[in-house]
Short mmCIF file of all heavy atoms in Angstrom, two decimals:
data_model
loop_
_atom_site.label_atom_id
_atom_site.label_comp_id
_atom_site.label_asym_id
_atom_site.label_seq_id
_atom_site.Cartn_x
_atom_site.Cartn_y
_atom_site.Cartn_z
N TYR A 141 1.81 5.54 -2.67
CA TYR A 141 0.91 5.53 -3.80
C TYR A 141 0.97 4.16 -4.51
O TYR A 141 1.96 3.43 -4.44
CB TYR A 141 1.21 6.56 -4.86
CG TYR A 141 1.23 7.99 -4.29
CD1 TYR A 141 2.44 8.58 -3.96
CD2 TYR A 141 0.05 8.65 -4.11
CE1 TYR A 141 2.49 9.88 -3.49
CE2 TYR A 141 0.10 10.01 -3.60
CZ TYR A 141 1.33 10.56 -3.30
OH TYR A 141 1.33 11.85 -2.77
N LEU A 142 -0.19 3.77 -5.17
CA LEU A 142 -0.17 2.66 -6.05
C LEU A 142 -0.96 3.03 -7.30
O LEU A 142 -2.21 3.20 -7.20
CB LEU A 142 -0.79 1.46 -5.34
CG LEU A 142 -0.67 0.14 -6.20
CD1 LEU A 142 0.73 -0.33 -6.36
CD2 LEU A 142 -1.56 -1.00 -5.53
N GLN A 143 -0.29 3.19 -8.40
CA GLN A 143 -0.93 3.38 -9.68
C GLN A 143 -1.27 2.07 -10.31
O GLN A 143 -0.36 1.25 -10.55
CB GLN A 143 -0.03 4.22 -10.58
CG GLN A 143 -0.60 4.46 -11.99
CD GLN A 143 -1.78 5.37 -11.98
OE1 GLN A 143 -1.90 6.36 -11.24
NE2 GLN A 143 -2.83 5.01 -12.78
N MET A 144 -2.54 1.84 -10.54
CA MET A 144 -3.00 0.58 -11.09
C MET A 144 -3.57 0.77 -12.45
O MET A 144 -4.64 1.42 -12.62
CB MET A 144 -4.06 -0.07 -10.09
CG MET A 144 -3.50 -0.25 -8.70
SD MET A 144 -4.69 -1.14 -7.69
CE MET A 144 -6.03 0.04 -7.60
N ASP A 145 -2.92 0.23 -13.49
CA ASP A 145 -3.41 0.33 -14.84
C ASP A 145 -3.78 -1.04 -15.41
O ASP A 145 -3.40 -2.02 -14.84
CB ASP A 145 -2.28 0.97 -15.76
CG ASP A 145 -1.93 2.37 -15.24
OD1 ASP A 145 -2.84 3.15 -14.90
OD2 ASP A 145 -0.74 2.67 -15.26
N SER A 146 -4.50 -1.05 -16.51
CA SER A 146 -4.89 -2.29 -17.15
C SER A 146 -5.53 -3.25 -16.16
O SER A 146 -5.19 -4.43 -16.07
CB SER A 146 -3.73 -2.97 -17.84
OG SER A 146 -3.19 -2.06 -18.80
N LEU A 147 -6.41 -2.68 -15.37
CA LEU A 147 -7.00 -3.57 -14.27
C LEU A 147 -7.78 -4.69 -14.79
O LEU A 147 -8.43 -4.63 -15.83
CB LEU A 147 -7.89 -2.64 -13.39
CG LEU A 147 -7.10 -1.80 -12.41
CD1 LEU A 147 -7.95 -0.63 -11.88
CD2 LEU A 147 -6.59 -2.63 -11.22
N LYS A 148 -7.71 -5.82 -14.04
CA LYS A 148 -8.44 -7.04 -14.43
C LYS A 148 -9.42 -7.35 -13.29
O LYS A 148 -9.24 -6.97 -12.10
CB LYS A 148 -7.45 -8.15 -14.57
CG LYS A 148 -6.37 -7.90 -15.59
CD LYS A 148 -5.33 -9.07 -15.61
CE LYS A 148 -4.21 -8.82 -16.63
NZ LYS A 148 -3.25 -9.98 -16.65
N PRO A 149 -10.45 -8.16 -13.60
CA PRO A 149 -11.40 -8.54 -12.55
C PRO A 149 -10.71 -9.23 -11.41
O PRO A 149 -11.15 -9.12 -10.20
CB PRO A 149 -12.36 -9.47 -13.31
CG PRO A 149 -12.34 -8.97 -14.69
CD PRO A 149 -10.90 -8.52 -14.95
N GLU A 150 -9.66 -9.99 -11.63
CA GLU A 150 -8.93 -10.68 -10.57
C GLU A 150 -8.14 -9.74 -9.65
O GLU A 150 -7.62 -10.18 -8.63
CB GLU A 150 -7.97 -11.76 -11.14
CG GLU A 150 -7.08 -11.26 -12.22
CD GLU A 150 -7.63 -11.62 -13.61
OE1 GLU A 150 -8.83 -11.38 -13.83
OE2 GLU A 150 -6.84 -12.02 -14.49
N ASP A 151 -8.09 -8.49 -9.97
CA ASP A 151 -7.50 -7.44 -9.09
C ASP A 151 -8.43 -7.03 -8.00
O ASP A 151 -8.04 -6.25 -7.08
CB ASP A 151 -7.02 -6.25 -9.86
CG ASP A 151 -5.85 -6.51 -10.83
OD1 ASP A 151 -4.97 -7.32 -10.47
OD2 ASP A 151 -5.92 -6.02 -11.92
N THR A 152 -9.69 -7.44 -8.10
CA THR A 152 -10.72 -7.09 -7.10
C THR A 152 -10.28 -7.54 -5.72
O THR A 152 -9.83 -8.66 -5.56
CB THR A 152 -12.06 -7.63 -7.47
OG1 THR A 152 -12.50 -7.07 -8.69
CG2 THR A 152 -13.08 -7.43 -6.39
N GLY A 153 -10.53 -6.66 -4.70
CA GLY A 153 -10.20 -6.99 -3.40
C GLY A 153 -10.10 -5.71 -2.49
O GLY A 153 -10.32 -4.64 -2.97
N VAL A 154 -9.79 -5.98 -1.22
CA VAL A 154 -9.57 -4.87 -0.36
C VAL A 154 -8.08 -4.64 -0.22
O VAL A 154 -7.31 -5.59 0.05
CB VAL A 154 -10.13 -5.13 1.10
CG1 VAL A 154 -9.85 -4.03 2.06
CG2 VAL A 154 -11.67 -5.42 0.98
N TYR A 155 -7.62 -3.42 -0.51
CA TYR A 155 -6.23 -3.11 -0.51
C TYR A 155 -5.87 -2.35 0.79
O TYR A 155 -6.49 -1.38 1.12
CB TYR A 155 -5.93 -2.21 -1.72
CG TYR A 155 -5.91 -2.97 -3.03
CD1 TYR A 155 -7.05 -3.56 -3.56
CD2 TYR A 155 -4.72 -3.21 -3.72
CE1 TYR A 155 -7.06 -4.28 -4.74
CE2 TYR A 155 -4.61 -3.95 -4.89
CZ TYR A 155 -5.80 -4.48 -5.39
OH TYR A 155 -5.81 -5.18 -6.57
N HIS A 156 -4.82 -2.85 1.40
CA HIS A 156 -4.34 -2.24 2.65
C HIS A 156 -2.93 -1.74 2.46
O HIS A 156 -2.10 -2.46 1.84
CB HIS A 156 -4.29 -3.25 3.81
CG HIS A 156 -5.66 -3.80 4.19
ND1 HIS A 156 -6.43 -3.24 5.19
CD2 HIS A 156 -6.38 -4.82 3.69
CE1 HIS A 156 -7.51 -3.91 5.37
NE2 HIS A 156 -7.55 -4.87 4.47
N CYS A 157 -2.59 -0.61 2.99
CA CYS A 157 -1.21 -0.15 3.00
C CYS A 157 -0.55 -0.48 4.31
O CYS A 157 -1.24 -0.67 5.32
CB CYS A 157 -1.16 1.37 2.75
SG CYS A 157 -1.88 2.35 3.96
N ASN A 158 0.71 -0.64 4.20
CA ASN A 158 1.50 -1.00 5.41
C ASN A 158 2.76 -0.15 5.41
O ASN A 158 3.44 0.03 4.36
CB ASN A 158 1.90 -2.47 5.29
CG ASN A 158 2.94 -2.88 6.35
OD1 ASN A 158 4.17 -2.83 6.07
ND2 ASN A 158 2.55 -3.24 7.56
#
Side-chain angles (χ1 to χ4, degrees):
Y141 304 99
L142 185 68
Q143 177 66 41
M144 304 186 293
D145 300 318
S146 303
L147 282 160
K148 303 176 180 180
E150 50 263 44
D151 294 318
T152 294
V154 178
Y155 284 69
H156 295 266
C157 62
N158 168 267

